[in-house]
Amino acid sequence: MPNELAHATSEYLLNHANDLVEWHEWTEAVLDKARNSNKPILLTIGYQGCRGCEAMARESFLNANTAAVMNEHFINIKVDRDERPDLDKVYQSALQLIAPKSGGWPLTLFLEPDSQLPFFGGTYFPQQAQHQTPGFADLLLRILETFNTKREELDEQSQKLSQALEQLTPPVLDPGVEDFALIEHGRDQLLQQHDPTQGGFGKSVKFPMPTRLQRLLRHWAYSRRRGDNDREALDAVMTTLTKVARGGIHDHIGGGLFSYAHDAQWMVPTFEKKLYDNAQMLPVFAAALTLGEDDLFDGAMCGIADWMQQVLLTPEGAFMAGEDGESRGQNGRHYLWRREQLKKLLSEDEYLLVETLFGLDKLANVENYWNLHRHDSYRSVVDRLSMTADEADALLASAKSKMAAARLESEPRPVVDHKIITAWNGLAIKGLADAGRLAQRPDWIDLARSCAEFIRTHCWDDEQLCGTWHTSGLGHAACLDDYANVLAGLESLLQCGWNDDIATFARELADATLRKFYDNDNGGFCFAAADEEPLIYAPKPTLDEALPPGNATLALTLHRLGLLFGEQRYLDAAANTLRWARAVMEHLPTGHCGLLTALEDALLVPQAVILRGPEADMATWSAALTGTFAPWRSVYAIPYSSTGPLPSFLPRLVSTAVQNSVSAFIFDGSECAPALTDLDVLQDQLS
């Protein structure tokens, strides 16, 4: 018989509806059941495609003896990390306190039923003991004995844990170093961690880390604005992007980036593609391309957008969560090749080019298979094979087409996680909007607008956001990341072309964010809304993780929207967030690149350029102003027909003659310059 997960909306939970364990979702009724029965709670948190989650299910949750112990003696709760990021963030932090070297998924915790505080936990537990990890069946009996015989000790431990959790939220402290020195210190530490040979940060497992790349790229841009040239920061970005685009972390046939690489050379990835990774890397490649043409970067950028559109885009206009790498019983098998397979598929010249370009002439890199990885530049390979550029381009295009077709015919295909996650779609809106503006790709901007319209229509009820959407219904209430990322995406969309509905939605969303998440006493934003169920503590995240922290995103976005709309509440919230987070930024600058960017934006007040006039003429001006990477500049082209919320500093009454031509206003946060009606003069002033 199915357990209670049969009624879940999450695909991850539905996959466990037929486990032998009597699983519950996290609800107040289930927590009451644990209190009333005085049974410990066994909480597991995972996600679709989690290898350890699948292993524990096979070994333990489908084991009749183990399930019987769990069902008789525990209240068993299973949570989808992507649907309840608030629970995941809280309990990952708790695990770090009781088992400092643990963390990840499946998150496996035993909770005291009255307080929901954990007294033991870890991640993956095998069915039988391995190395120093106890077997799960034996662990259950030991946990049960401890719970029944040492309750007072567990209560004391819970009290200490509760106090330790409260101390995780940093206090407001005066700065120890000057703001500009802190930004410079963050830059220096990033470059110390950068791998100058292989790109990326660190010497082993490699993540693209778009927030760090954006920080260094912005630092270089601001140095150029001052008349300097931070070549070292720029080289770090370009080296990393080159290695990523050439590497095995890049799907050279189907487009998109895998989450991370297991090796320093970016050769063997984890073979899962997530929306949030790709959405954040898209504008990084676009920004790099504003510095000069590069076929490698352009191919990676367009491949990301194509993969998002072809694989993740729903008919309603939103983007699904990602694509799992499991196929034919082997992780990544869908993406791997054998030489004999390609020799049969391709012509002799096509194979020669593919073999040389993608490393098939070297040792196999994944269990006797090849994951495509470029060791050399395309031009050097073409020269080495004595081919002309046109000849090589035609051969490569033909070979890729055949390889893509062969993939489509292979079964089964990687599993797509169909859920719509609001926070991740906010990143997609911003990524597509920023990249579309920089690369002058209006089709990407249209995708971003459709996605924003989906969120407004399906996930927003005029008062609050929903965190996930499924064809079967809405998920849990949204968390801080959902509000922050969607709001940032809307601000980027307004720079791609003014829309009254988007502007109104942005104001409504900003107001709701302040109402639900803002800490009026200390500054900063809590991760869970104030009107949601209280958990064991209220985190206020600041660290850069897979998703940028909501506090960093809001400190930047609310500052810009506050200047745009003349809304002092937004400006105050942004400033107070930076003031509250100042101590943690100083403690670990490289872990707070998002907040450093917001701090830089506040110190060097952003430059808002407002265009008014006929839409066709404004489009020409906008294209001329957005072709370079100038992160301090925002350009908003607002037609005179607009009836939505407008910048407070614009003149309200203008003549018909003025409306028939373009006028530009530069606002620096304190005053608005007189209107400029000549594009060349405007460009001279901006530069």
Side-chain angles (χ1 to χ4, degrees):
M1 293 292 291
N3 54 48
E4 289 186 9
L5 301 186
H7 306 292
T9 55
S10 158
E11 290 180 52
Y12 168 68
L13 297 185
L14 288 171
N15 289 342
H16 294 277
N18 291 309
D19 288 357
L20 299 180
V21 177
E22 294 174 4
W23 291 117
H24 304 275
E25 293 191 76
W26 181 285
T27 64
E28 191 58 42
V30 172
L31 299 180
D32 285 340
K33 182 178 179 179
R35 295 187 193 97
N36 295 333
S37 64
N38 195 32
K39 292 181 178 180
I41 296 169
L42 172 53
L43 171 67
T44 75
I45 301 179
Y47 61 94
Q48 183 84 339
C50 168
R51 306 280 174 264
C53 304
E54 295 167 2
M56 278 196 76
R58 287 193 305 269
E59 297 167 5
S60 298
F61 307 149
L62 294 175
N63 181 292
N65 293 329
T66 302
V69 174
M70 294 173 65
N71 294 338
E72 182 177 356
H73 299 290
F74 297 86
I75 299 299
N76 306 294
I77 299 178
K78 184 168 280 293
V79 169
D80 183 341
R81 172 199 72 175
D82 298 334
E83 284 210 331
R84 293 299 305 269
D86 54 337
L87 288 170
D88 183 61
K89 192 170 290 292
V90 162
Y91 283 106
Q92 289 284 359
S93 298
L95 180 61
Q96 287 294 310
L97 292 175
I98 62 176
K101 294 184 179 180
S102 297
W105 301 273
L107 179 60
T108 308
L109 289 170
F110 296 90
L111 314 183
E112 202 279 333
D114 293 324
S115 65
Q116 292 97 53
L117 286 161
F119 57 88
F120 185 80
T123 52
Y124 164 73
F125 290 99
Q127 177 63 13
Q128 303 297 327
Q130 295 179 6
H131 308 296
Q132 296 181 344
T133 304
F136 191 63
D138 292 337
L139 176 65
L140 291 173
L141 298 177
R142 290 160 57 184
I143 290 292
L144 189 61
E145 180 183 4
T146 301
F147 182 78
N148 290 329
T149 62
K150 299 181 179 180
R151 196 65 179 272
E152 290 185 4
E153 293 179 23
L154 294 182
D155 289 342
E156 291 179 8
Q157 178 182 315
S158 294
Q159 292 178 7
K160 293 179 181 178
L161 176 60
S162 180
Q163 294 171 358
L165 285 168
E166 291 178 1
Q167 295 173 4
L168 290 179
T169 301
V172 179
L173 298 175
D174 292 332
V177 297
E178 293 184 356
D179 291 333
F180 287 107
L182 175 59
I183 292 171
E184 199 70 31
H185 186 45
R187 174 262 184 203
D188 293 343
Q189 286 194 349
L190 283 177
L191 292 178
Q192 288 173 10
Q193 296 175 12
H194 173 250
D195 180 347
T197 303
Q198 298 296 337
F201 302 90
K203 300 294 184 181
S204 56
V205 176
K206 290 287 180 68
F207 293 82
M209 296 188 172
T211 305
R212 290 187 169 196
L213 297 177
Q214 290 172 338
R215 174 88 291 278
L216 288 175
L217 196 56
R218 289 177 64 102
H219 197 281
W220 168 81
Y222 273 99
S223 74
R224 291 270 292 182
R225 191 185 188 192
R226 297 191 303 268
D228 299 327
N229 187 7
D230 187 358
R231 187 70 193 185
E232 191 177 0
L234 181 61
D235 285 347
V237 174
M238 293 305 188
T239 299
T240 300
L241 292 180
T242 298
K243 295 297 184 179
V244 167
R246 286 187 186 176
I249 194 174
H250 175 207
D251 182 358
H252 296 271
I253 303 302
L257 303 178
F258 301 109
S259 293
Y260 63 92
H262 293 282
D263 58 289
Q265 292 75 37
W266 307 90
M267 187 175 294
V268 182
T270 189
F271 292 115
E272 65 176 11
K273 299 181 193 175
K274 295 292 189 181
L275 173 61
Y276 59 78
D277 291 316
N278 285 274
Q280 292 180 86
M281 285 299 291
L282 185 60
V284 180
F285 279 110
L289 281 164
T290 62
L291 310 183
E293 294 183 5
D294 189 301
D295 290 340
L296 179 67
F297 290 1
D298 186 70
M301 177 183 69
C302 293
I304 290 172
D306 290 345
W307 171 76
M308 288 172 58
Q309 184 172 4
Q310 293 167 10
V311 176
L312 300 186
L313 185 63
T314 69
E316 296 85 359
F319 293 93
M320 295 179 284
E323 193 174 24
D324 182 16
E326 188 73 25
S327 177
R328 286 177 272 176
Q330 181 180 356
N331 185 28
R333 178 65 187 87
H334 180 75
Y335 304 102
L336 303 177
W337 303 91
R338 287 193 185 275
R339 286 171 175 165
E340 295 75 13
Q341 175 190 7
L342 287 174
K343 286 179 179 178
K344 292 178 181 178
L345 181 66
L346 307 177
S347 71
E348 184 176 342
D349 287 342
E350 289 170 347
Y351 176 78
L352 179 62
L353 178 59
V354 167
E355 177 191 54
T356 311
L357 182 63
F358 292 115
L360 275 73
D361 54 350
K362 296 175 173 58
L363 292 175
N365 51 25
V366 184
E367 299 178 1
N368 297 318
Y369 287 87
W370 277 264
N371 179 50
L372 302 184
H373 175 96
R374 287 174 54 172
H375 296 268
D376 301 316
S377 72
Y378 181 56
R379 179 178 297 178
S380 66
V381 169
V382 171
D383 290 343
R384 192 157 69 246
L385 295 176
S386 300
M387 293 181 177
T388 66
D390 290 343
E391 178 186 12
D393 290 348
L395 287 171
L396 183 59
S398 175
K400 283 187 173 182
S401 178
K402 291 178 181 179
M403 293 167 73
R407 264 199 198 168
L408 289 174
E409 294 172 1
S410 66
E411 294 291 344
R413 290 185 52 102
V415 176
V416 174
D417 185 351
H418 292 89
K419 73 167 111 17
I420 309 300
I421 301 174
T422 302
W424 300 9
N425 274 265
L427 292 172
I429 294 168
K430 180 169 178 57
L432 287 165
D434 286 347
R437 186 177 68 251
L438 290 170
Q440 298 192 12
R441 288 292 301 264
D443 53 327
W444 295 352
I445 296 171
D446 289 342
L447 288 174
R449 287 199 183 101
S450 295
C451 187
E453 179 59 27
F454 174 92
I455 297 297
R456 189 172 70 92
T457 302
H458 295 281
C459 301
W460 171 251
D461 65 1
D462 295 331
E463 292 188 2
Q464 67 177 9
L465 277 174
C466 190
T468 57
W469 181 90
H470 310 257
T471 53
S472 57
L474 293 171
H476 194 263
C479 296
L480 182 66
D481 287 351
D482 301 290
Y483 285 80
N485 290 334
V486 172
L487 189 61
L490 297 180
E491 192 276 330
S492 289
L493 264 182
L494 288 176
Q495 295 191 54
C496 298
W498 194 263
N499 180 287
D500 288 343
D501 290 338
I502 294 295
T504 300
F505 186 21
R507 291 296 302 267
E508 292 172 348
L509 201 59
D511 292 343
T513 305
L514 289 173
R515 184 172 66 251
K516 289 177 171 292
F517 299 94
Y518 186 59
D519 181 349
N520 287 289
D521 295 328
N522 300 299
F525 294 83
C526 295
F527 190 73
D531 55 3
E532 287 298 310
E533 57 180 304
L535 300 177
I536 57 175
Y537 97 106
K540 294 170 65 177
T542 61
L543 281 170
D544 305 320
E545 296 178 341
L547 271 64
N551 275 291
T553 302
L554 287 170
L556 178 67
T557 306
L558 286 176
H559 183 227
R560 294 205 165 194
L561 289 177
L563 292 175
L564 176 65
F565 292 123
E567 182 55 75
Q568 190 62 41
R569 293 180 301 127
Y570 300 172
L571 296 172
D572 290 344
N576 289 335
T577 297
L578 291 173
R579 179 177 60 85
W580 160 74
R582 196 62 168 67
V584 295
M585 293 162 64
E586 288 185 17
H587 178 69
L588 185 64
T590 57
H592 293 90
C593 291
L595 279 165
L596 289 179
T597 290
L599 177 62
E600 181 182 64
D601 212 58
L603 291 172
L604 304 168
V605 178
Q607 190 180 68
V609 180
I610 311 296
L611 305 178
R612 307 299 307 273
E615 293 193 40
D617 295 337
M618 287 193 298
T620 302
W621 285 50
S622 293
L625 298 179
T626 57
T628 58
F629 181 62
W632 53 84
R633 182 183 305 153
S634 302
V635 180
Y636 308 95
I638 309 177
Y640 283 105
S641 59
S642 175
T643 58
L646 296 175
S648 59
F649 49 81
L650 289 179
R652 289 297 187 261
L653 298 175
V654 295
S655 66
T656 302
V658 169
Q659 294 186 26
N660 288 331
S661 60
V662 177
S663 298
F665 302 87
I666 303 174
F667 182 63
D668 65 1
S670 58
E671 62 180 4
C672 183
L676 299 173
T677 56
D678 185 287
L679 178 58
D680 291 335
V681 174
L682 173 63
Q683 289 178 305
D684 286 343
Q685 287 207 14
L686 292 177
S687 62

